[in-house]
Amino acid sequence: MHKHYTLRFAEGALPLRTPTERYFLDPELGQQKDIQTEDDVYCTCLAKTLCHVPVPVTVGFYAPFGCRLHMMLDKITALMQQEAAQREAEELRRVQRQPRPVRGWGFLRLLWYLVFLQPVITELHLRRKNVQFHFIRFSAWQYAGTDKLWAGLVTTLCEGIRHHYGALPFSVYSVLGNKAAATPGFCQREWHCRCRVWLALLALLAALSFGVGLLYLSVGARAQGHDGASGSLLRGLGGAATTLSGSGLLMAVYSVGKHLFVSQRKKIERLVSREKFGSQLGFMCEVKKEVELLTDFLCFLEIYQRRRLRVVLEVTGLDTCYPERVVGVLNAINTLLSDSHAPFIFILVVDPSILAACLESAGSMKGTADNGYLFLNRTVTLPFSVPIMGRRTKLQFLHDAVQSRDDLLYREMTRKLRPGGGCEGAQLLAVETQAGAERAPSRIDAEAARRIQEALFCLHDERDCLYEYVPDNVVSMRRIVNTVPITVRLLQQQDGDFAGPTPRQAVAWVVLANQWPCRLSWVLQCLEDRQQAGGAPEARVRLWNVFCDNSPELHSMTKELQNVLDLDGDPELFERFLGADFPFTVAQAQSLLRCTVNLDHSIRRRMGLIRAVSALKPPSPPKSPAHDAPHAANGANHAPGAFQSGQGAGHAPAHAGEAHQPRDWAHRGKSRPVA
């Protein structure tokens, strides 16, 4: 016997319909009540995988433009941080040792460890499960105008880590730091004393003390009047010892200060700004050294803090750059990933079709990336294609888009509604009517606000089928939500008594114009041409029938209208939309056309021009004197018979002859094709 589980929303409990939801809410598989939509399920799976995946790794976050990418990235970030906090608590219960802080007094302790101690990678460190993530978001669009986009990626990574831990610790490590050592066998000690540093420091201090002492003795001897050759010798030895020891200490301080004020970002930018830097031998090697220094610093911090560190670099906007820039960024990612111990997680947020086309069209990748998909597969080690937006996710996004409209006071109205009891749509309309009456003294404005809210409610009503035709693109959702109030108010101005289309029909028409602009424009253009010709169809004729009658002609124009046809959505959904769910008639289309603001009328003008050009008759071929005489004789012999048959048929054949006269002239002297 199967159990029945539900997901809880703000508007009530809904039954599970997808296997992924059932998996994450089944008590036998692990119950998580905070998951509400399908996107939460997918983001949770990816976040848990990234917490355990071996680094370095490149995640291909594949999705078309505007497909809720940033929202899903924010969810993944929050879930990864939540998982890291949970693992931190488990590790604390296991070992009973707090991680070392890097703020406050822990900052001074970190500097001490940087100078005088060397970290050791032990088995204890490798067994640690607690992890800390550092998220850095790189928008390639901000650097799209530069010649070297990849340099922006590397500098953003370096600057993000430097900003998180501070400039001084990284500067001290750049000058005095030592790479972590690996000890064979099982060793509990994670830190070794740096004897060379201690000896060098003691030698410098001893030399400085010796020099200061000699100078003091020379000054004392001179004050007592015993200044001579011995006093000059003491001053010389003391000055030399003080100068050498002091210069050594000053050089160390100067080096730290130089790295403190001249960051890695400035170093790389200085290298890039040099002329002909690409031809310099070992230029990429210098960049590689900076990256390795950064990796070693993160390894030092891992052992110091008693936790694993992961740097998550989210690369967005790459599919909006030029092909050569895209190639540079991918090469930079490969450079950063060349170190097998680099704690980097790259999330490459791109549209794979656009990125593959950029790789194939890049001049520098000829012979290397002739197939962009294969090259992308060699770079990406964890592909994640954003799935189609689920029912619950789409309803949630539509609900949020409608809720963001402050002019309708949606937030206040939803708080007044109570779940259960009666029709929710009727309650919503009653509350909106009351709010509109209190806000606007005019009855017309209140009625318009009520109809607008009713139309918007149809978008995210799960009992209505309209949400199924709304695209997964968040930008398109907001475009539809923003267009509905204009359409409804225009209908109000057109039909003052609100006797025209209903709010549901109005929002359905907006969705139709947004999803299938080419097909809708074709239907409207055909209606306009038939009306101008005096043969307009009846008002009760459905638009779907008009489209079916003229679809062969549209098919013949696919070459001229290819770019416009690409704007349309699924043709099967278009058939179901007009044929079953929303059977608009010619009269309703003519009434709604005057209020349509989200349909580009230039598409109709282009279609009308193409139809007008195709209606023109081809020009007659040039006459040949050699063939005119036989045809003229044959015409004289057969003319009376033809005339008599025409007279016997009445006036109708005369009109038919006039209509087909250009075609007969074009085929004169040729065999007529069989229809």
Side-chain angles (χ1 to χ4, degrees):
M1 182 176 181
H2 298 283
K3 299 180 180 179
H4 183 71
Y5 303 101
T6 58
L7 279 175
R8 295 193 176 273
F9 281 84
E11 62 268 19
L14 299 176
L16 288 179
R17 295 188 178 181
T18 59
T20 51
E21 292 173 344
R22 189 178 301 109
Y23 174 82
F24 276 92
L25 292 176
D26 197 319
E28 299 177 357
L29 300 176
Q31 186 175 3
Q32 295 185 6
K33 296 181 180 179
D34 54 341
I35 298 179
Q36 296 181 350
T37 64
E38 293 87 352
D39 279 0
D40 294 330
V41 177
Y42 292 112
C43 292
T44 301
C45 293
L46 180 60
K48 287 183 175 294
T49 302
L50 293 180
C51 291
H52 300 85
V53 70
V55 291
V57 62
T58 302
V59 182
F61 203 75
Y62 298 149
F65 174 76
C67 189
R68 65 196 188 279
L69 296 177
H70 292 284
M71 298 180 184
M72 294 189 70
L73 286 178
D74 294 338
K75 289 182 181 180
I76 292 172
T77 300
L79 291 171
M80 292 177 68
Q81 291 176 346
Q82 181 180 355
E83 179 70 16
Q86 182 179 356
R87 295 175 65 177
E88 189 73 44
E90 294 176 356
E91 185 71 13
L92 180 61
R93 289 193 299 267
R94 188 177 67 88
V95 299
Q96 300 295 327
R97 298 180 68 182
Q98 289 280 356
R100 295 189 182 97
V102 293
R103 299 287 187 270
W105 292 106
F107 183 78
L108 299 178
R109 189 178 183 180
L110 174 61
L111 296 179
W112 177 268
Y113 275 65
L114 285 170
V115 176
F116 298 108
L117 297 177
Q118 180 185 8
V120 178
I121 301 176
T122 62
E123 186 178 356
L124 179 64
H125 173 69
L126 297 177
R127 289 180 178 179
R128 289 191 175 110
K129 301 299 182 182
N130 55 334
V131 63
Q132 185 180 20
F133 294 99
H134 303 300
F135 295 90
I136 302 174
R137 185 165 293 186
F138 173 74
S139 178
W141 178 81
Q142 299 178 359
Y143 299 87
T146 61
D147 294 335
K148 302 302 173 185
L149 181 62
W150 64 267
L153 174 65
V154 178
T155 55
T156 301
L157 176 63
C158 298
E159 196 68 18
I161 298 176
R162 178 186 175 95
H163 177 73
H164 186 271
Y165 290 103
L168 184 57
F170 186 72
S171 301
V172 173
Y173 183 82
S174 301
V175 178
L176 303 174
N178 200 359
K179 188 176 180 180
T183 56
F186 183 78
C187 181
Q188 295 290 341
R189 294 184 57 187
E190 293 185 331
W191 300 96
H192 288 172
C193 181
R194 301 179 63 182
C195 299
R196 293 182 180 180
V197 176
W198 281 103
L199 293 176
L201 182 61
L202 291 176
L204 289 176
L205 292 177
L208 181 61
S209 301
F210 179 73
V212 172
L214 292 179
L215 290 176
Y216 179 77
L217 292 177
S218 65
V219 171
R222 185 176 182 180
Q224 295 178 1
H226 301 288
D227 189 13
S230 60
S232 300
L233 180 62
L234 291 176
R235 285 195 300 272
L237 293 176
T242 305
T243 302
L244 291 176
S245 59
S247 61
L249 294 175
L250 289 178
M251 284 297 296
V253 174
Y254 171 76
S255 299
V256 172
K258 181 180 178 181
H259 286 82
L260 183 64
F261 293 101
V262 182
S263 62
Q264 285 183 306
R265 179 173 186 171
K266 294 182 179 179
K267 291 181 182 178
I268 297 176
E269 290 177 350
R270 189 177 300 172
L271 289 174
V272 172
S273 61
R274 292 179 182 177
E275 296 182 359
K276 299 180 180 179
F277 73 94
S279 61
Q280 295 179 1
L281 184 62
F283 171 76
M284 291 304 297
C285 183
E286 294 295 329
V287 178
K288 178 63 177 176
K289 289 181 180 179
E290 297 294 333
V291 175
E292 289 179 352
L293 180 63
L294 187 66
T295 303
D296 295 339
F297 177 66
L298 292 175
C299 183
F300 180 93
L301 290 175
E302 280 188 342
I303 301 175
Y304 173 77
Q305 292 186 276
R306 302 194 187 105
R307 59 160 63 106
R308 313 302 293 269
L309 297 179
R310 297 292 181 266
V311 179
V312 183
L313 186 61
E314 302 170 353
V315 182
T316 61
L318 190 61
D319 44 10
T320 61
C321 302
Y322 295 112
E324 299 297 335
R325 296 346 185 231
V326 173
V327 173
V329 171
L330 294 180
N331 290 333
I333 292 176
N334 293 329
T335 302
L336 295 173
L337 296 178
S338 59
D339 188 359
S340 60
H341 302 287
F344 298 141
I345 299 176
F346 287 92
I347 301 181
L348 199 60
V349 185
V350 293
D351 187 344
S353 60
I354 298 178
L355 198 64
C358 291
L359 293 173
E360 293 171 1
S361 61
S364 58
M365 302 298 290
K366 294 298 182 183
T368 305
D370 294 336
N371 190 331
Y373 289 99
L374 292 178
F375 185 86
L376 195 60
N377 290 337
R378 290 195 296 265
T379 303
V380 175
T381 55
L382 177 57
F384 183 84
S385 297
V386 176
I388 299 175
M389 185 179 292
R391 182 180 64 91
R392 299 179 183 275
T393 305
K394 182 180 291 187
L395 289 173
Q396 186 66 36
F397 273 103
L398 288 172
H399 182 271
D400 295 340
V402 174
Q403 189 178 6
S404 62
R405 296 193 56 84
D406 295 333
D407 57 338
L408 299 178
L409 300 177
Y410 190 85
R411 293 188 179 92
E412 288 76 8
M413 291 185 294
T414 52
R415 282 199 293 264
K416 295 179 182 179
L417 292 177
R418 295 181 180 179
C423 179
E424 184 179 359
Q427 294 178 359
L428 182 60
L429 297 180
V431 174
E432 207 289 327
T433 304
Q434 180 181 357
E438 293 176 357
R439 184 178 180 181
S442 175
R443 183 191 65 84
I444 299 179
D445 292 341
E447 182 66 18
R450 186 194 69 83
R451 292 172 66 88
I452 291 173
Q453 189 57 51
E454 181 181 353
L456 293 176
F457 179 75
C458 295
L459 276 176
H460 61 88
D461 186 9
E462 64 172 350
R463 295 166 298 183
D464 199 336
C465 63
L466 183 58
Y467 74 91
E468 299 177 3
Y469 300 99
V470 178
D472 297 345
N473 196 316
V474 180
V475 178
S476 297
M477 291 183 182
R478 294 191 176 275
R479 184 162 58 240
I480 292 173
V481 171
N482 295 333
T483 309
V484 168
I486 304 177
T487 305
V488 174
R489 292 186 183 277
L490 289 175
L491 284 173
Q492 175 192 7
Q493 298 296 329
Q494 176 179 314
D495 303 322
D497 55 349
F498 298 99
T502 62
R504 183 173 182 268
Q505 291 176 339
V507 67
W509 183 264
V510 172
V511 174
L512 176 63
N514 183 83
Q515 283 299 97
W516 299 280
C518 180
R519 286 171 170 81
L520 179 59
S521 299
W522 175 253
V523 174
L524 296 176
Q525 183 62 36
C526 293
L527 289 176
E528 180 181 350
D529 292 344
R530 292 181 64 177
Q531 185 177 5
Q532 292 175 355
E538 296 182 0
R540 295 177 297 176
V541 176
R542 297 193 302 175
L543 292 184
W544 174 246
N545 296 334
V546 178
F547 177 79
C548 292
D549 295 340
N550 298 273
S551 58
E553 185 179 359
L554 178 62
H555 178 72
S556 63
M557 300 179 182
T558 53
K559 185 176 181 180
E560 294 83 357
L561 300 175
Q562 184 62 45
N563 295 334
V564 183
L565 282 171
D566 291 340
L567 300 176
D568 286 358
D570 193 346
E572 285 78 11
L573 289 179
F574 176 74
E575 178 181 356
R576 196 179 77 181
F577 187 93
L578 284 182
D581 293 337
F582 299 94
F584 286 105
T585 61
V586 174
Q588 293 173 345
Q590 292 175 352
S591 177
L592 289 167
L593 178 59
R594 293 188 290 268
C595 306
T596 305
V597 296
N598 63 328
L599 183 63
D600 189 1
H601 297 290
S602 64
I603 300 177
R604 291 175 55 200
R605 290 194 294 268
R606 182 177 179 182
M607 291 178 175
L609 180 61
I610 295 176
R611 294 193 74 187
V613 172
S614 61
L616 296 177
K617 305 304 179 183
S620 59
K623 298 181 180 180
S624 177
H627 294 80
D628 283 346
H631 288 294
N634 295 333
N637 294 331
H638 296 285
F643 178 76
Q644 292 174 2
S645 61
Q647 291 293 335
H651 296 284
H655 294 289
E658 292 176 4
H660 293 283
Q661 182 178 0
R663 184 175 302 223
D664 295 337
W665 180 267
H667 290 282
R668 180 171 296 176
K670 302 179 182 179
S671 60
R672 298 177 60 86
V674 180

